[in-house]
Structures are given as structure tokens and as C-alpha cells.
């Protein structure tokens, strides 16, 4: 007769990893989304303060996504992934910045 499964063990995903980090990431992402939404809906702070809270929540949420969903940290084993992510972010910044620069310049020349 096989031994009964241990109920205290954390469930695993179909891909072999634990589910707990994903659950923590989802809860943190939901909280970091609900805070700015609630502040804007309630209008309890001045607009400048709301913008600061939204910016801080956005930066924190990026870190949460990188840590809990993309599994990037500062360990040497994931350093290559971090370098590739930084390169992609720089390329994206150049593309978006260049596009905005061209569009604003065209708008200025049309006026």
C-alpha cells in the first residue's frame, strides 16, 4: 500500500517549481495596483502627492515583477539575464524616446 501524500508540502506548478513565490507576487502586485487606484478614486491627497505615490508604486511593482515572476535577483547565476534585461530596457528607452522626440518636433514644425 503506497504511503499517503504529505499535506504540509507546498503544491508545485506543472513546470516543477513551487507556487508560493507566484502567490506572493500576485498578492503584492494586486496591493500595489489597488493603492494608487484607491487614492485616485477617493481623492484624499493633492494631485502632486498622488503622482508621487503612483510613481513609487509603479517602481515597486516593476521590482516585484522582476523578482517574483521573472526570477531575477542579484545572484551571479542570474547576472546574464539581468544584463540582457538592462540592454532591452535601454533599447526600448531609445526607441520610445526617439519616437516622442520626432513626434513633438513634427508637431512643432506643423504649427
Amino acid at each position: 500500500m503506497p504511503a499517503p501524500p504529505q499535506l504540509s508540502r507546498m503544491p508545485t506548478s506543472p513546470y516543477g517549481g513551487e507556487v508560493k513565490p507566484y502567490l506572493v507576487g500576485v498578492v503584492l502586485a494586486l496591493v500595489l495596483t489597488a493603492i494608487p487606484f484607491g487614492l485616485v478614486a477617493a481623492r484624499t491627497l493633492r494631485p502632486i502627492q498622488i503622482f508621487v505615490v503612483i510613481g513609487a508604486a509603479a517602481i515597486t511593482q516593476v521590482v516585484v515583477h522582476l523578482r517574483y515572476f521573472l526570477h531575477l535577483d542579484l545572484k551571479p547565476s542570474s547576472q546574464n539575464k539581468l544584463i540582457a534585461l538592462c540592454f532591452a530596457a535601454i533599447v526600448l528607452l531609445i526607441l520610445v524616446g526617439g519616437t516622442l522626440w520626432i513626434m513633438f518636433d513634427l508637431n512643432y514644425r506643423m504649427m
Side-chain angles (χ1 to χ4, degrees), residues 8-14 16-29 64 67-69 71:
S8 64
R9 205 173 76 182
M10 191 66 186
T12 59
S13 71
E18 285 191 7
V19 176
K20 184 179 178 183
Y22 293 106
L23 293 176
V24 171
V26 166
V27 168
L28 286 174
V64 166
R67 172 65 183 98
Y68 289 104
F69 299 123
H71 306 291

Side-chain angles (χ1 to χ4, degrees), residues 58-79:
I59 291 170
T60 307
Q61 196 164 49
V62 167
V63 172
V64 166
H65 283 263
L66 290 176
R67 172 65 183 98
Y68 289 104
F69 299 123
L70 295 178
H71 306 291
L72 290 179
D73 47 14
L74 299 177
K75 293 179 183 175
S77 62
S78 65
Q79 213 168 24

Side-chain angles (χ1 to χ4, degrees), residues 33-46:
T33 301
I35 290 172
F37 181 76
L39 286 175
V40 170
R43 296 182 184 169
T44 57
L45 299 175
R46 290 183 287 163

